[in-house]
Every structure is written in C-alpha cells, then in structure tokens.
Amino acid sequence: MNPAFRTARFQCSIRPEEIIYPCIAIVTACNPGDQVCSETVNQQADKGLVADLDYHGWWRFRVVGGSPDFQHQEPGWAVATDSVVEAIALGRRWGQVAFFWVVLDSLSLVSCRDGTAEALGSWRARTRFDQPLGPWRVVSE
C-alpha cells in the first residue's frame, strides 16, 4: 500500500456535530489502482460513485483527502455504513487499493485487497471541518 496514505489529511464542509452516524468509510473513485488519472477521468468516476451511493441509499458528505500540504488531493465521500465488509466491496467496485474507516474518532486505513486495517489515530486531529470546498477540490487559501 502507498505509504503516503498514512499521512493523509482531510477537509470537509460540514461540522463534526452534523455527522450523526458512528461509522463512516471515506472512499474515492479517483486514481483507481493507485494510478494517476486525468481530471476528466476522475470526475467521471466520481459521478459514477455518487450514482452507486445514491442507488444504495447511503448518507454521504464530500470529503477531500490529500497530502499534509494538500498539493495532492483526491475528492471522495464519507459514507455512513456500519459494515466494513460493505465498505471493502464499495472500494473494490471503484478500483481502490484502500479506504479510510472512521469509528467515532478512530481512523484506520483498510486494504481493499485483504481487509487488513492499520490504526492511524484521531480522525478529527487530521480533519479541517466547516471548510469551503469548491465543486471538486479544496479551495485555495
């Protein structure tokens, strides 16, 4: 798994108290197989992921994950589910190597290949809430 995943930071436009579910999976459709794709390909994949989430009726909100300096960003979705198995299946459907799993404030990195998880600490400590997000990426500061 890409070691950069372990340093990921997150931004979202909602406040922590608006998250009413104890478990969320942070999933993206961008750059499947850890291969960098064009903006157009990633945006089309994101639209497909949204359709998939809507089909399943999952509550979601936009999360942009990225490097600590946000030079690299991958827009994705925080999806309410209490099933890590379901989240693994979702990540696999969209060609992902891994996804982030949040239970209350505990963040883990979960492999879509074999389901192994690595604890990464506090999700809130890595996340900027109530941030202005553009239609696709984090708005420049």
Side-chain angles (χ1 to χ4, degrees):
M1 204 171 337
N2 187 332
F5 295 168
R6 294 177 182 91
T7 65
R9 299 297 184 266
F10 307 93
Q11 291 194 32
C12 59
S13 61
I14 69 172
R15 295 181 313 276
E17 59 271 15
E18 294 176 272
I19 303 169
I20 58 174
Y21 297 93
C23 302
I24 58 171
I26 300 173
V27 180
T28 184
C30 295
N31 302 323
D34 207 19
Q35 299 299 309
V36 177
C37 296
S38 72
E39 225 26 41
T40 301
V41 167
N42 283 332
Q43 287 179 349
Q44 287 299 97
D46 185 68
K47 288 178 186 176
L49 175 57
V50 168
D52 190 0
L53 299 175
D54 287 349
Y55 174 80
H56 287 94
W58 282 320
W59 181 82
R60 62 178 156 71
F61 61 93
R62 174 65 87 189
V63 172
V64 178
S67 58
D69 62 5
F70 268 85
Q71 290 299 307
H72 173 77
Q73 299 179 31
E74 287 195 16
W77 298 94
V79 180
T81 176
D82 59 359
S83 171
V84 73
V85 172
E86 199 170 58
I88 290 169
L90 179 64
R92 284 179 182 164
R93 273 199 307 277
W94 291 97
Q96 297 304 302
V97 172
F99 65 93
F100 295 95
W101 180 247
V102 181
V103 178
L104 300 174
D105 184 39
S106 296
L107 177 69
S108 297
L109 178 63
V110 180
S111 167
C112 289
R113 184 176 55 84
D114 61 12
T116 57
E118 179 181 341
L120 298 178
S122 167
W123 181 55
R124 288 183 182 196
R126 292 174 178 249
T127 304
R128 291 182 65 197
F129 294 93
D130 204 15
Q131 297 297 304
L133 300 181
W136 178 243
R137 299 213 179 259
V138 171
V139 176
S140 298
E141 296 180 7

